Amino acid sequence: MTSSFPLGFRWGVATSAFQIEGATTADGRGPSIWDTFAAVPGAVAGGDTGEPAADHYHRWRADLALLGDLGVDSYRFSVSWPRIQPDGRHAERRGLDFYRRLVEALREKNIEPFLTLYHWDLPQALEDAGGWRSRDTASRFAEYAALVHEELGDVVDHWTTLNEPYPCAIAGYGEGRHAPGAREGHGALAAAHHLLLGHGLAVRAMRAQASPQHRFGIVLNQSPAVPVSDSAADAAAAARQDTLLRRQFTDPLFGGRYAPGLAAMFAGVSDFSFRHDGDLETIGVPLDYLGVNYYYRLHVADAPHREPDPALRTVADIGVDTTRLPEVPRTGMGWPVEPEGLTEALVGLHNRYPGLPPMYVTENGCVYADRSDFADYERISFLSEHIEAARTAAAAGVDLRGYFCWSLLDNFEWAHGYKHRFGLIHVDYTTQARTPRASYRWYRDHIAAERAR
Ligand code: FCB
């Protein structure tokens, strides 16, 4: 390997509150949209819910010991909004205290906290008032962000507003696959806009009270769309896919404009009246970093809409077929293993948006069936190949500052429930025993080797 990662490059792991914490009614926590959604029969595989997850709320000290032994210098986690504001408005001291204890313990271990304010767990009370369809939720989010920032700004320097607004808006409000389980056109597009607006308002509110060392960013999922042929129709289909999944977010955040083509794609679905004067300036507030989550590329062919009746069609049904995968290995989720897609995502962003802030790979990881001895060689080669792909991007001139593996622990994988395991550490959900996989030891040794270079 060449040594193209800059000095001070960060090595970390990532988790999120709802996926690991469990304890969904402890210490005054209110219900989130994921508690409500998971209770709907058939919504989550196996009828799984946020209980028990990895019971991290009670076992966080032991988990931090595992984090320390792993040798990471950074830990990306999320704060549960319904622990902080159970009803979406009033502060719950016990929730704030939990994260203060966690962050102080990280600091004692010299592990830099990368705090994410929103990883999909909206307080149900705010959903009842319209959720992300409603412009008011963006203001509520900024208030919540300012509260957490005021409370923890003395111990946290890295502040991420949102994790992956795309699935939040489109899978959650458009396709009904994620919480809150809605299937709306206009509502989903409004949710995407209000998430971005909430991000901008939150950064402004936090900056107004920030210390100089504070850094503010956002995390986006990036699945580059590759046309399956060189036909104009497939190229246009891939462009539609990229507009929906990526440019709907990156153009207003970093390009100073709404994604060209988005409004035309959904002309009969929404009048985009949720876009108000001044919103673009708010959304485009300068950032200190962009986090990129990368798992796979999408291979896109032009195709008829899956649902012929426009009235019944979901917002993700944009006349594309993404099932024609190349002959490459797949993970246990069926996702194609294409590390070059990570290079492409990073270099592509760098080229498209002049003035883009520095980037981190904030999530990257995979699922494979376990062997009895937890010797997960496939995961090791997946991670190793993707780290090299990140290195290639850095060598090509991308300002890349760190890599976070998803995930420290097995966890609640959203609509898939507990079936799919992304952890470097295996969790037995009956006993809550933690067993580091071979990949945990590999990542530990890899980090040490990178630092010794
Ligand atoms: C990402 C999510 C994360 C996890 C991984 C596998 O989209 O941000 O919570 O579920 O996928």
Side-chain angles (χ1 to χ4, degrees), residues 15-16 19 76 119-120 163-164 167 178 219 221 293 295 333 335 363 365 367 406 411-414 422:
T15 63
S16 90
Q19 294 180 275
R76 174 172 177 251
H119 201 124
W120 305 358
N163 176 74
E164 298 191 1
H178 280 190
V219 165
N221 55 313
N293 293 352
Y295 291 93
M333 301 277 275
W335 295 345
E363 284 182 30
V367 159
W406 182 270
N411 59 57
F412 177 84
E413 179 45 34
W414 307 115
F422 275 91

PDB file of all heavy atoms in Angstrom, residues 15-16 19 76 119-120 163-164 167 178 219 221 293 295 333 335 363 365 367 406 411-414 422, ligand 1:
ATOM      1  N   THR A  15     -21.859   3.821  14.770  1.00  0.00           N
ATOM      2  CA  THR A  15     -23.087   3.154  15.234  1.00  0.00           C
ATOM      3  C   THR A  15     -24.209   4.197  15.167  1.00  0.00           C
ATOM      4  O   THR A  15     -23.956   5.352  14.858  1.00  0.00           O
ATOM      5  CB  THR A  15     -22.983   2.714  16.721  1.00  0.00           C
ATOM      6  OG1 THR A  15     -22.820   3.875  17.557  1.00  0.00           O
ATOM      7  CG2 THR A  15     -21.814   1.756  16.947  1.00  0.00           C
ATOM      8  N   SER A  16     -25.433   3.783  15.491  1.00  0.00           N
ATOM      9  CA  SER A  16     -26.488   4.787  15.694  1.00  0.00           C
ATOM     10  C   SER A  16     -27.366   4.382  16.860  1.00  0.00           C
ATOM     11  O   SER A  16     -27.489   3.190  17.183  1.00  0.00           O
ATOM     12  CB  SER A  16     -27.334   4.967  14.434  1.00  0.00           C
ATOM     13  OG  SER A  16     -28.436   4.087  14.436  1.00  0.00           O
ATOM     14  N   GLN A  19     -30.289   1.785  16.657  1.00  0.00           N
ATOM     15  CA  GLN A  19     -29.845   0.458  16.233  1.00  0.00           C
ATOM     16  C   GLN A  19     -29.137  -0.333  17.338  1.00  0.00           C
ATOM     17  O   GLN A  19     -29.085  -1.552  17.273  1.00  0.00           O
ATOM     18  CB  GLN A  19     -28.944   0.597  15.000  1.00  0.00           C
ATOM     19  CG  GLN A  19     -29.724   1.106  13.798  1.00  0.00           C
ATOM     20  CD  GLN A  19     -28.848   1.252  12.560  1.00  0.00           C
ATOM     21  OE1 GLN A  19     -28.201   2.278  12.375  1.00  0.00           O
ATOM     22  NE2 GLN A  19     -28.816   0.239  11.720  1.00  0.00           N
ATOM     23  N   ARG A  76     -18.055   7.449  15.796  1.00  0.00           N
ATOM     24  CA  ARG A  76     -19.240   8.135  15.288  1.00  0.00           C
ATOM     25  C   ARG A  76     -20.475   7.437  15.864  1.00  0.00           C
ATOM     26  O   ARG A  76     -20.660   6.241  15.660  1.00  0.00           O
ATOM     27  CB  ARG A  76     -19.249   8.080  13.755  1.00  0.00           C
ATOM     28  CG  ARG A  76     -20.507   8.646  13.162  1.00  0.00           C
ATOM     29  CD  ARG A  76     -20.467   8.773  11.637  1.00  0.00           C
ATOM     30  NE  ARG A  76     -21.751   9.251  11.215  1.00  0.00           N
ATOM     31  CZ  ARG A  76     -22.671   8.525  10.566  1.00  0.00           C
ATOM     32  NH1 ARG A  76     -22.410   7.295  10.172  1.00  0.00           N
ATOM     33  NH2 ARG A  76     -23.853   9.028  10.278  1.00  0.00           N
ATOM     34  N   HIS A 119     -30.217  10.346  13.363  1.00  0.00           N
ATOM     35  CA  HIS A 119     -30.062   9.111  12.593  1.00  0.00           C
ATOM     36  C   HIS A 119     -31.427   8.410  12.590  1.00  0.00           C
ATOM     37  O   HIS A 119     -31.605   7.325  13.120  1.00  0.00           O
ATOM     38  CB  HIS A 119     -28.959   8.235  13.201  1.00  0.00           C
ATOM     39  CG  HIS A 119     -28.377   7.224  12.259  1.00  0.00           C
ATOM     40  ND1 HIS A 119     -27.021   7.159  11.981  1.00  0.00           N
ATOM     41  CD2 HIS A 119     -28.947   6.244  11.530  1.00  0.00           C
ATOM     42  CE1 HIS A 119     -26.784   6.153  11.137  1.00  0.00           C
ATOM     43  NE2 HIS A 119     -27.939   5.581  10.839  1.00  0.00           N
ATOM     44  N   TRP A 120     -32.426   9.131  12.068  1.00  0.00           N
ATOM     45  CA  TRP A 120     -33.721   8.583  11.667  1.00  0.00           C
ATOM     46  C   TRP A 120     -34.774   8.398  12.763  1.00  0.00           C
ATOM     47  O   TRP A 120     -35.877   7.951  12.466  1.00  0.00           O
ATOM     48  CB  TRP A 120     -33.556   7.241  10.933  1.00  0.00           C
ATOM     49  CG  TRP A 120     -32.652   7.288   9.761  1.00  0.00           C
ATOM     50  CD1 TRP A 120     -32.001   8.380   9.252  1.00  0.00           C
ATOM     51  CD2 TRP A 120     -32.270   6.191   8.921  1.00  0.00           C
ATOM     52  NE1 TRP A 120     -31.251   8.018   8.161  1.00  0.00           N
ATOM     53  CE2 TRP A 120     -31.389   6.680   7.944  1.00  0.00           C
ATOM     54  CE3 TRP A 120     -32.608   4.841   8.912  1.00  0.00           C
ATOM     55  CZ2 TRP A 120     -30.838   5.864   6.955  1.00  0.00           C
ATOM     56  CZ3 TRP A 120     -32.055   4.015   7.942  1.00  0.00           C
ATOM     57  CH2 TRP A 120     -31.173   4.530   6.976  1.00  0.00           C
ATOM     58  N   ASN A 163     -27.957  12.042   9.305  1.00  0.00           N
ATOM     59  CA  ASN A 163     -27.448  10.876   8.618  1.00  0.00           C
ATOM     60  C   ASN A 163     -28.404  10.529   7.483  1.00  0.00           C
ATOM     61  O   ASN A 163     -29.583  10.256   7.713  1.00  0.00           O
ATOM     62  CB  ASN A 163     -27.376   9.674   9.565  1.00  0.00           C
ATOM     63  CG  ASN A 163     -26.936   8.412   8.832  1.00  0.00           C
ATOM     64  OD1 ASN A 163     -25.764   8.285   8.488  1.00  0.00           O
ATOM     65  ND2 ASN A 163     -27.871   7.499   8.549  1.00  0.00           N
ATOM     66  N   GLU A 164     -27.904  10.561   6.263  1.00  0.00           N
ATOM     67  CA  GLU A 164     -28.623  10.043   5.095  1.00  0.00           C
ATOM     68  C   GLU A 164     -30.070  10.523   4.969  1.00  0.00           C
ATOM     69  O   GLU A 164     -31.014   9.751   5.177  1.00  0.00           O
ATOM     70  CB  GLU A 164     -28.608   8.512   5.099  1.00  0.00           C
ATOM     71  CG  GLU A 164     -27.221   7.916   5.021  1.00  0.00           C
ATOM     72  CD  GLU A 164     -27.246   6.406   4.746  1.00  0.00           C
ATOM     73  OE1 GLU A 164     -28.352   5.842   4.607  1.00  0.00           O
ATOM     74  OE2 GLU A 164     -26.172   5.806   4.658  1.00  0.00           O
ATOM     75  N   PRO A 167     -32.761   8.058   2.386  1.00  0.00           N
ATOM     76  CA  PRO A 167     -33.697   7.015   2.820  1.00  0.00           C
ATOM     77  C   PRO A 167     -34.758   7.532   3.779  1.00  0.00           C
ATOM     78  O   PRO A 167     -35.910   7.065   3.775  1.00  0.00           O
ATOM     79  CB  PRO A 167     -32.819   5.963   3.500  1.00  0.00           C
ATOM     80  CG  PRO A 167     -31.460   6.523   3.582  1.00  0.00           C
ATOM     81  CD  PRO A 167     -31.369   7.723   2.706  1.00  0.00           C
ATOM     82  N   HIS A 178     -39.477   2.338   5.268  1.00  0.00           N
ATOM     83  CA  HIS A 178     -38.898   2.775   6.538  1.00  0.00           C
ATOM     84  C   HIS A 178     -39.940   3.608   7.283  1.00  0.00           C
ATOM     85  O   HIS A 178     -40.928   4.061   6.697  1.00  0.00           O
ATOM     86  CB  HIS A 178     -37.661   3.642   6.280  1.00  0.00           C
ATOM     87  CG  HIS A 178     -36.419   2.843   5.961  1.00  0.00           C
ATOM     88  ND1 HIS A 178     -35.177   3.407   5.889  1.00  0.00           N
ATOM     89  CD2 HIS A 178     -36.233   1.521   5.714  1.00  0.00           C
ATOM     90  CE1 HIS A 178     -34.267   2.471   5.611  1.00  0.00           C
ATOM     91  NE2 HIS A 178     -34.886   1.316   5.482  1.00  0.00           N
ATOM     92  N   VAL A 219     -23.946  13.924   6.728  1.00  0.00           N
ATOM     93  CA  VAL A 219     -23.579  12.616   6.176  1.00  0.00           C
ATOM     94  C   VAL A 219     -24.603  12.206   5.119  1.00  0.00           C
ATOM     95  O   VAL A 219     -25.813  12.227   5.374  1.00  0.00           O
ATOM     96  CB  VAL A 219     -23.506  11.556   7.293  1.00  0.00           C
ATOM     97  CG1 VAL A 219     -23.501  10.149   6.720  1.00  0.00           C
ATOM     98  CG2 VAL A 219     -22.257  11.765   8.171  1.00  0.00           C
ATOM     99  N   ASN A 221     -25.593   9.291   1.956  1.00  0.00           N
ATOM    100  CA  ASN A 221     -25.278   8.009   1.307  1.00  0.00           C
ATOM    101  C   ASN A 221     -25.044   8.259  -0.173  1.00  0.00           C
ATOM    102  O   ASN A 221     -25.772   9.021  -0.801  1.00  0.00           O
ATOM    103  CB  ASN A 221     -26.395   6.969   1.520  1.00  0.00           C
ATOM    104  CG  ASN A 221     -27.755   7.442   1.088  1.00  0.00           C
ATOM    105  OD1 ASN A 221     -28.161   8.550   1.407  1.00  0.00           O
ATOM    106  ND2 ASN A 221     -28.451   6.612   0.344  1.00  0.00           N
ATOM    107  N   ASN A 293     -21.324   7.904   3.146  1.00  0.00           N
ATOM    108  CA  ASN A 293     -21.568   6.490   3.440  1.00  0.00           C
ATOM    109  C   ASN A 293     -21.597   5.742   2.116  1.00  0.00           C
ATOM    110  O   ASN A 293     -22.359   6.104   1.215  1.00  0.00           O
ATOM    111  CB  ASN A 293     -22.916   6.303   4.145  1.00  0.00           C
ATOM    112  CG  ASN A 293     -22.929   6.904   5.544  1.00  0.00           C
ATOM    113  OD1 ASN A 293     -21.894   7.343   6.053  1.00  0.00           O
ATOM    114  ND2 ASN A 293     -24.092   6.910   6.168  1.00  0.00           N
ATOM    115  N   TYR A 295     -21.827   1.871   0.311  1.00  0.00           N
ATOM    116  CA  TYR A 295     -22.006   0.418   0.388  1.00  0.00           C
ATOM    117  C   TYR A 295     -21.947  -0.249  -0.986  1.00  0.00           C
ATOM    118  O   TYR A 295     -21.394  -1.313  -1.126  1.00  0.00           O
ATOM    119  CB  TYR A 295     -23.344   0.086   1.078  1.00  0.00           C
ATOM    120  CG  TYR A 295     -23.312   0.439   2.552  1.00  0.00           C
ATOM    121  CD1 TYR A 295     -23.760   1.674   3.004  1.00  0.00           C
ATOM    122  CD2 TYR A 295     -22.782  -0.447   3.486  1.00  0.00           C
ATOM    123  CE1 TYR A 295     -23.694   2.016   4.351  1.00  0.00           C
ATOM    124  CE2 TYR A 295     -22.718  -0.122   4.839  1.00  0.00           C
ATOM    125  CZ  TYR A 295     -23.168   1.118   5.263  1.00  0.00           C
ATOM    126  OH  TYR A 295     -23.084   1.444   6.588  1.00  0.00           O
ATOM    127  N   MET A 333     -26.236  -9.271   1.960  1.00  0.00           N
ATOM    128  CA  MET A 333     -27.441  -8.486   1.656  1.00  0.00           C
ATOM    129  C   MET A 333     -27.760  -8.569   0.170  1.00  0.00           C
ATOM    130  O   MET A 333     -28.744  -7.981  -0.280  1.00  0.00           O
ATOM    131  CB  MET A 333     -27.240  -6.998   1.993  1.00  0.00           C
ATOM    132  CG  MET A 333     -26.904  -6.672   3.412  1.00  0.00           C
ATOM    133  SD  MET A 333     -28.352  -6.576   4.483  1.00  0.00           S
ATOM    134  CE  MET A 333     -28.886  -4.896   4.237  1.00  0.00           C
ATOM    135  N   TRP A 335     -25.773  -7.184  -2.012  1.00  0.00           N
ATOM    136  CA  TRP A 335     -25.195  -5.972  -2.601  1.00  0.00           C
ATOM    137  C   TRP A 335     -23.904  -6.328  -3.346  1.00  0.00           C
ATOM    138  O   TRP A 335     -23.067  -7.078  -2.824  1.00  0.00           O
ATOM    139  CB  TRP A 335     -24.886  -4.941  -1.512  1.00  0.00           C
ATOM    140  CG  TRP A 335     -26.104  -4.414  -0.802  1.00  0.00           C
ATOM    141  CD1 TRP A 335     -27.403  -4.538  -1.210  1.00  0.00           C
ATOM    142  CD2 TRP A 335     -26.139  -3.695   0.430  1.00  0.00           C
ATOM    143  NE1 TRP A 335     -28.244  -3.919  -0.303  1.00  0.00           N
ATOM    144  CE2 TRP A 335     -27.495  -3.396   0.714  1.00  0.00           C
ATOM    145  CE3 TRP A 335     -25.164  -3.246   1.320  1.00  0.00           C
ATOM    146  CZ2 TRP A 335     -27.897  -2.689   1.839  1.00  0.00           C
ATOM    147  CZ3 TRP A 335     -25.563  -2.537   2.454  1.00  0.00           C
ATOM    148  CH2 TRP A 335     -26.918  -2.265   2.707  1.00  0.00           C
ATOM    149  N   GLU A 363     -19.365   5.735   6.774  1.00  0.00           N
ATOM    150  CA  GLU A 363     -19.854   4.364   6.922  1.00  0.00           C
ATOM    151  C   GLU A 363     -19.385   3.547   5.744  1.00  0.00           C
ATOM    152  O   GLU A 363     -19.431   4.026   4.594  1.00  0.00           O
ATOM    153  CB  GLU A 363     -21.394   4.289   6.935  1.00  0.00           C
ATOM    154  CG  GLU A 363     -22.040   4.715   8.220  1.00  0.00           C
ATOM    155  CD  GLU A 363     -23.569   4.571   8.171  1.00  0.00           C
ATOM    156  OE1 GLU A 363     -24.092   3.676   7.467  1.00  0.00           O
ATOM    157  OE2 GLU A 363     -24.226   5.391   8.833  1.00  0.00           O
ATOM    158  N   GLY A 365     -19.210  -0.976   5.181  1.00  0.00           N
ATOM    159  CA  GLY A 365     -19.170  -2.271   5.853  1.00  0.00           C
ATOM    160  C   GLY A 365     -20.050  -3.261   5.121  1.00  0.00           C
ATOM    161  O   GLY A 365     -20.562  -2.971   4.038  1.00  0.00           O
ATOM    162  N   VAL A 367     -22.280  -7.418   5.354  1.00  0.00           N
ATOM    163  CA  VAL A 367     -22.921  -8.528   6.053  1.00  0.00           C
ATOM    164  C   VAL A 367     -22.505  -9.821   5.383  1.00  0.00           C
ATOM    165  O   VAL A 367     -22.501  -9.880   4.140  1.00  0.00           O
ATOM    166  CB  VAL A 367     -24.452  -8.368   5.915  1.00  0.00           C
ATOM    167  CG1 VAL A 367     -25.177  -9.662   6.146  1.00  0.00           C
ATOM    168  CG2 VAL A 367     -24.982  -7.292   6.837  1.00  0.00           C
ATOM    169  N   TRP A 406     -18.652   0.640   9.408  1.00  0.00           N
ATOM    170  CA  TRP A 406     -19.977   0.298   9.944  1.00  0.00           C
ATOM    171  C   TRP A 406     -20.006  -1.210  10.107  1.00  0.00           C
ATOM    172  O   TRP A 406     -19.946  -1.891   9.093  1.00  0.00           O
ATOM    173  CB  TRP A 406     -21.093   0.754   8.992  1.00  0.00           C
ATOM    174  CG  TRP A 406     -22.442   0.439   9.570  1.00  0.00           C
ATOM    175  CD1 TRP A 406     -23.153  -0.708   9.399  1.00  0.00           C
ATOM    176  CD2 TRP A 406     -23.216   1.269  10.446  1.00  0.00           C
ATOM    177  NE1 TRP A 406     -24.322  -0.655  10.102  1.00  0.00           N
ATOM    178  CE2 TRP A 406     -24.382   0.544  10.763  1.00  0.00           C
ATOM    179  CE3 TRP A 406     -23.028   2.536  11.015  1.00  0.00           C
ATOM    180  CZ2 TRP A 406     -25.367   1.061  11.614  1.00  0.00           C
ATOM    181  CZ3 TRP A 406     -24.014   3.028  11.850  1.00  0.00           C
ATOM    182  CH2 TRP A 406     -25.167   2.303  12.141  1.00  0.00           C
ATOM    183  N   ASN A 411     -26.409  -5.063  15.051  1.00  0.00           N
ATOM    184  CA  ASN A 411     -27.461  -4.146  15.510  1.00  0.00           C
ATOM    185  C   ASN A 411     -28.743  -4.324  14.712  1.00  0.00           C
ATOM    186  O   ASN A 411     -28.828  -5.158  13.818  1.00  0.00           O
ATOM    187  CB  ASN A 411     -26.939  -2.701  15.421  1.00  0.00           C
ATOM    188  CG  ASN A 411     -26.525  -2.327  14.011  1.00  0.00           C
ATOM    189  OD1 ASN A 411     -27.320  -2.406  13.085  1.00  0.00           O
ATOM    190  ND2 ASN A 411     -25.268  -1.934  13.833  1.00  0.00           N
ATOM    191  N   PHE A 412     -29.716  -3.513  15.058  1.00  0.00           N
ATOM    192  CA  PHE A 412     -31.040  -3.516  14.422  1.00  0.00           C
ATOM    193  C   PHE A 412     -30.914  -2.888  13.040  1.00  0.00           C
ATOM    194  O   PHE A 412     -30.743  -1.676  12.919  1.00  0.00           O
ATOM    195  CB  PHE A 412     -32.006  -2.708  15.295  1.00  0.00           C
ATOM    196  CG  PHE A 412     -33.392  -2.558  14.723  1.00  0.00           C
ATOM    197  CD1 PHE A 412     -34.346  -3.549  14.895  1.00  0.00           C
ATOM    198  CD2 PHE A 412     -33.757  -1.404  14.026  1.00  0.00           C
ATOM    199  CE1 PHE A 412     -35.629  -3.399  14.376  1.00  0.00           C
ATOM    200  CE2 PHE A 412     -35.036  -1.244  13.503  1.00  0.00           C
ATOM    201  CZ  PHE A 412     -35.970  -2.247  13.687  1.00  0.00           C
ATOM    202  N   GLU A 413     -30.953  -3.742  12.011  1.00  0.00           N
ATOM    203  CA  GLU A 413     -30.731  -3.236  10.654  1.00  0.00           C
ATOM    204  C   GLU A 413     -32.074  -2.827  10.020  1.00  0.00           C
ATOM    205  O   GLU A 413     -32.530  -3.398   9.043  1.00  0.00           O
ATOM    206  CB  GLU A 413     -29.973  -4.286   9.831  1.00  0.00           C
ATOM    207  CG  GLU A 413     -29.675  -3.931   8.377  1.00  0.00           C
ATOM    208  CD  GLU A 413     -29.147  -2.503   8.130  1.00  0.00           C
ATOM    209  OE1 GLU A 413     -28.408  -1.951   8.963  1.00  0.00           O
ATOM    210  OE2 GLU A 413     -29.510  -1.952   7.078  1.00  0.00           O
ATOM    211  N   TRP A 414     -32.699  -1.851  10.639  1.00  0.00           N
ATOM    212  CA  TRP A 414     -33.917  -1.231  10.140  1.00  0.00           C
ATOM    213  C   TRP A 414     -34.947  -2.271   9.705  1.00  0.00           C
ATOM    214  O   TRP A 414     -35.211  -3.184  10.486  1.00  0.00           O
ATOM    215  CB  TRP A 414     -33.565  -0.220   9.029  1.00  0.00           C
ATOM    216  CG  TRP A 414     -32.517   0.758   9.513  1.00  0.00           C
ATOM    217  CD1 TRP A 414     -31.232   0.898   9.052  1.00  0.00           C
ATOM    218  CD2 TRP A 414     -32.634   1.707  10.608  1.00  0.00           C
ATOM    219  NE1 TRP A 414     -30.564   1.868   9.772  1.00  0.00           N
ATOM    220  CE2 TRP A 414     -31.387   2.386  10.724  1.00  0.00           C
ATOM    221  CE3 TRP A 414     -33.657   2.055  11.482  1.00  0.00           C
ATOM    222  CZ2 TRP A 414     -31.169   3.381  11.689  1.00  0.00           C
ATOM    223  CZ3 TRP A 414     -33.425   3.054  12.430  1.00  0.00           C
ATOM    224  CH2 TRP A 414     -32.206   3.691  12.518  1.00  0.00           C
ATOM    225  N   PHE A 422     -23.844  -6.491  10.743  1.00  0.00           N
ATOM    226  CA  PHE A 422     -22.767  -5.654  10.203  1.00  0.00           C
ATOM    227  C   PHE A 422     -21.595  -5.494  11.170  1.00  0.00           C
ATOM    228  O   PHE A 422     -20.643  -4.774  10.884  1.00  0.00           O
ATOM    229  CB  PHE A 422     -23.303  -4.253   9.887  1.00  0.00           C
ATOM    230  CG  PHE A 422     -23.961  -4.105   8.536  1.00  0.00           C
ATOM    231  CD1 PHE A 422     -25.325  -4.300   8.375  1.00  0.00           C
ATOM    232  CD2 PHE A 422     -23.198  -3.760   7.423  1.00  0.00           C
ATOM    233  CE1 PHE A 422     -25.930  -4.145   7.127  1.00  0.00           C
ATOM    234  CE2 PHE A 422     -23.788  -3.599   6.177  1.00  0.00           C
ATOM    235  CZ  PHE A 422     -25.156  -3.798   6.026  1.00  0.00           C
TER     236      PHE A 422
HETATM  237  C1  FCB B   1     -26.905   2.950   6.223  1.00  0.00           C
HETATM  238  C2  FCB B   1     -27.417   3.471   7.549  1.00  0.00           C
HETATM  239  C3  FCB B   1     -26.950   2.675   8.739  1.00  0.00           C
HETATM  240  C4  FCB B   1     -26.907   1.193   8.463  1.00  0.00           C
HETATM  241  C5  FCB B   1     -26.199   0.906   7.163  1.00  0.00           C
HETATM  242  C6  FCB B   1     -26.076  -0.562   6.839  1.00  0.00           C
HETATM  243  O1  FCB B   1     -27.752   3.354   5.214  1.00  0.00           O
HETATM  244  O2  FCB B   1     -27.002   4.805   7.741  1.00  0.00           O
HETATM  245  O3  FCB B   1     -27.780   2.989   9.821  1.00  0.00           O
HETATM  246  O4  FCB B   1     -28.166   0.652   8.518  1.00  0.00           O
HETATM  247  O5  FCB B   1     -26.842   1.562   6.116  1.00  0.00           O
END
